[in-house]
Amino acid sequence: MTSQPRRTSRTRAPAGRHLVIVESPAKARTIAGFLGAEYMVESSIGHVRDLPSKAAEIPKDVKREPWARLGVDVDHGFAPLYVVPATKQPQVTKLRALLKDADSVYLATDEDREGEAIAWHLKEVLRPRVPMHRMVFHEITRQAIADAIDRPRAIDEHLVQAQEARRILDRLYGYEVSPVLWRKVRPRLSAGRVQSAAIRMIVARERLRMRFVTARYWDVDATLAVREADATAGAPASVAARLVELAGQRVASGRDFDAATGELAAGERDARVVLLDEARARAVATALAGAAANVIEVNERPFTQRPAPPFITSTLQQEGGRKLRYTAQRTMSAAQSLYENGFITYMRTDSTNLSDEALNAARTQVRELYGAEYVPAQPRRYTGRVRGAQEAHEAIRPAGDAFQHPEQLRGRVDGDAYRLYELIWMRTIASQMPDASGLRTAMRLAAELPGEGTAVLAASGRVITFPGFLRAYVEGSDDPDAELEEQERVLPPLRQGQPLDVQAAVPRGHETQPPARYTEASLIRELEERGIGRPSTYASIIGTIQERGYVRKRGSALVPMFVAFAVMNLLEQHFPELVDLDFTARMENDLDRVAEGALEATPWLHRFYFGDPDAPKHPEDGVASDGLKARIGAGWEAIDAREVSSISLGTDAHGRVVAVRVGRYGPYVQAGDDEPRASLPEDTPPDEIDLAGALALLEQAERSDQVLGTDLDSGLPVYLKVGRYGPYVQLGPDDANEDKPRRASLWPDMDAAALTIADAQLLLSFPRTLGLHPQSGEPVTVQDGPLGPYVKAGKETHSLRDHEHLRTVDLAAAVALLAQPRQQRGRRAAAGPLAELGEHPDTGKPVTVRSGRFGPYVTDGTVNATIPAGRDPLQIDLDEALDLLALRAARLREQGREPAQARAPRR
């Protein structure tokens, strides 16, 4: 693409009034600013119609059709049933009214499959009688909008067919497979073509962690001093090195151990490897301290490091996670805001190409900021790695023919958008800068140790001689603790045979580490490398598997829940092709061929759903020969629900299989088939429960229904029990009367094993009435709730500090708390924050966790964001709260509301 002369006046319009339809209100406002009064710019607010999502949306004339539940007429060319949801009817009515006053209509939706499909649906729903044009652009600048109006095109039917085929495929997959999960695992679960493949990858990694056996090993770190006679002015006077050989044997490191046994790998058990234990490591360190060493080898070699290409959707999500600690959804929300406000090009793309306009802008800015020596003789051009995945033809870069410096956006966009723009700007600039170059040095030093023989130590260094693109940008790492490559490790100039003195030697113990869990960044990278899904969908996929309870985040790690194990057991054992990663990737390739016009969508869908009797049946393409319908219908009733929902941990001393099982009300452990069980917290990481831990839980459960004593007032026994959420006490047996027996959870500082009858009676004494309120005459009570202890009189409540406050507070103190000013009391939400997380990095306002009428939420005083069900509000940290707030603000903007209009969140 060549650069065009810049226009400074408003866009010239053909005669008459023109309706421009985009997807979002924010995008509409930005584009309206570039167009004259003869243009009406309105948003569709996303898709205006879709397959029915619930039975109430199915039209009466087709409700009795056998395919109505699917929303796809599988017997007649896989014709989709499209409906306009009730929530979109007002916007469709508004668009029709505007169309009546228009002489032409421009469909200006995004330049990808989804955007093309939205444009096609708008055409089908509105059925304009005036000329209709498809208007496309990859950045929202005055020049780009003017060019788009000047050069409209027709709707690309191939892109529409590809999107429709993908939508139908996902509907068939989800609506046929999900009911099996409901019946055999748990209600309200879901399966998805890409989501299930992603869950399989996360579960497979957790299985490796569960099988992992930790091994311990030791090594020795040493500091060696350069002798004064050999010292060089300005150079380091010492060298940090590590013991790598002892008496001709290589010292074992973490890579030498078998992950499944914790033993040295079979090939390493011979005389070539020595495993140091603590005693020997300390002895070697003692012998090394004060010893003389000699340099026995010095290797120097130059290196060159090339800049990374400009961002595409997937690499932006990965780097947003690594450098900014943003979730994929938070990254895409900020990118959407930047695009809609005209600051970056379109953010859903797989192309690393930069236009001539962008190349000139980047090179000009590099010259201005860093000097001519940082501008290569020729522009760098990058070729894409992913074929046909997205249709936008440029990488993600700053918009326009002259890039705005990040400082020019400060104060004009929110903090998330500012930091992401800075990242995009740096990556784009760096991509047009020269390679970094330097020198890597590796050296080996030897010392003779009495009783141990020759000890060999290794040291390495790295010196950058020309920083090149590193002046602007350094790519992040999946390991947040890893040393960034730009950091220099400078060694003193040493020569072979040069003597040094060991100043200090320190023995260090290590444990081998299990395979790291996926983070959002590493999962996105793996999905892209395998060709599963498309980058534009990764953020929503990762969000979906968390919302459905398959995965939870611990820090940045994606931790699968036991229900994900049960679902994978069922799919892998009974429908392996549906979660086969290669098969899923081949489906993506087929959809790409549909987008290119090289494959007809309907015959392909027919083969997927009904099968191809002439095709050879192989495990990797079983759906192609049998068809999804036949595979799901072939004896799913015979699937053993107990078997697929069991995750074996081993065998106990009685020969019973001890397993975690996934029930309708959560996971539990059980030994054998009919033995007692012990509940597990829903969010227990699978790799943290092993055979020993399960047996301990079962032993604790066997003490359930333990009688602690007799309640003096009622004469009923008091039991210690263990439930789904931990131990609790109960007054009387379960069937003592028709009412539920009184129960109370243990306080955080109580130990179930040491609990006494007095402790239990204290717990059961709440709610406790302290007396009558002196003004209202209402009972004043103190009680314990899910979010902590509090005092109550009528509808008024106030939090108590802790459980000790609950135990000791009297009527006068309770009345004083309730008498505090209105803003400090009232509903539980007004009683004060449940947690104070810190200041918002952009506004400086405090971010807190609060409890409202509809549940716990996080707030910065402007935006309120509900904490998802199942998440402990007291375990939310600042980063998680910022993610929730950013997503809530993005949803408000999509609805055309400013964040300041936010109200208390509803569930």
Side-chain angles (χ1 to χ4, degrees), residues 4-12 142-151 401:
Q4 299 290 327
R6 191 166 195 164
R7 301 185 185 186
T8 55
S9 61
R10 284 190 177 270
T11 301
R12 274 187 167 179
R142 189 180 303 278
Q143 179 68 42
I145 299 305
D147 291 343
I149 286 179
D150 288 346
R151 295 195 293 269
D401 56 8

Side-chain angles (χ1 to χ4, degrees), residues 424-702:
I424 293 168
W425 177 85
M426 289 190 298
R427 178 92 161 211
T428 307
I429 293 296
S431 75
Q432 294 305 310
M433 294 175 70
D435 297 343
S437 57
L439 194 67
R440 286 194 178 95
T441 304
M443 60 180 63
R444 291 161 68 86
L445 308 99
E448 295 298 326
L449 306 182
E452 293 287 356
T454 303
V456 177
L457 301 101
S460 63
R462 183 176 186 268
V463 176
I464 295 171
T465 56
F466 178 66
F469 73 93
L470 294 176
R471 285 287 304 276
Y473 180 79
V474 180
E475 191 171 20
S477 166
D478 283 331
D479 179 1
D481 299 321
E483 187 176 31
L484 290 176
E485 289 191 351
E486 84 275 19
Q487 291 181 332
E488 293 187 312
R489 297 181 294 278
V490 181
L491 295 176
L494 300 178
R495 65 185 182 280
Q496 191 166 339
Q498 182 175 333
L500 293 91
D501 297 316
V502 180
Q503 282 184 323
V506 179
R508 300 195 185 279
H510 305 276
E511 286 188 348
T512 54
Q513 298 299 312
R517 291 188 176 104
Y518 283 108
T519 63
E520 290 196 8
S522 61
L523 180 63
I524 288 170
R525 184 183 63 189
E526 185 81 2
L527 287 169
E528 184 186 32
E529 289 179 353
R530 289 180 174 272
I532 296 171
R534 284 297 173 250
S536 60
T537 66
Y538 291 155
S540 62
I541 289 165
I542 292 172
T544 296
I545 62 178
Q546 293 181 72
E547 290 166 4
R548 302 281 167 82
Y550 290 123
V551 173
R552 289 188 182 174
K553 289 187 75 171
R554 173 180 280 193
S556 62
L558 298 173
V559 184
M561 300 294 97
F562 280 111
V563 68
F565 277 69
V567 168
M568 280 303 108
N569 286 346
L570 187 152
L571 294 177
E572 288 171 342
Q573 293 172 26
H574 299 279
F575 310 107
E577 65 285 346
L578 294 180
V579 287
D580 180 87
L581 303 183
D582 292 335
F583 175 72
T584 306
R586 286 198 298 275
M587 283 196 288
E588 290 290 354
N589 291 333
D590 288 343
L591 289 167
D592 289 341
R593 292 174 63 202
V594 173
E596 296 163 1
L599 183 67
E600 287 292 328
T602 301
W604 181 78
L605 286 169
H606 190 280
R607 287 193 297 273
F608 171 79
Y609 191 66
F610 290 111
D612 183 357
D614 297 326
K617 182 176 180 179
H618 298 293
E620 68 272 15
D621 60 4
V623 168
S625 54
D626 291 348
L628 177 68
K629 182 178 176 63
R631 292 286 289 121
I632 296 295
W636 65 262
E637 296 93 342
I639 295 174
D640 187 334
R642 186 179 183 84
E643 179 187 359
V644 299
S645 294
S646 298
I647 300 97
S648 176
L649 300 175
T651 305
D652 68 4
H654 304 289
R656 300 174 302 180
V657 174
V658 179
V660 175
R661 296 198 164 98
V662 177
R664 288 180 175 259
Y665 304 105
Y668 59 93
V669 294
Q670 190 173 31
D673 292 332
D674 301 313
E675 302 296 329
R677 61 181 64 178
S679 296
L680 278 174
E682 187 80 30
D683 59 352
T684 302
D687 75 334
E688 292 185 7
I689 181 72
D690 55 12
L691 180 61
L695 291 174
L697 287 172
L698 289 169
E699 182 181 352
Q700 185 183 54
E702 287 179 1

Side-chain angles (χ1 to χ4, degrees), residues 14 22 49 88 379 405 418 456 462 605 762 780 787 801 843:
V22 299
R49 66 176 189 171
K88 291 301 179 72
H405 192 279
Y418 173 80
V456 177
R462 183 176 186 268
L605 286 169
L762 171 65
V780 178
L787 300 177
R801 290 191 306 273
T843 65

Side-chain angles (χ1 to χ4, degrees), residues 45-56:
I45 315 182
H47 276 278
V48 293
R49 66 176 189 171
D50 196 4
L51 302 177
S53 61
K54 51 189 177 183

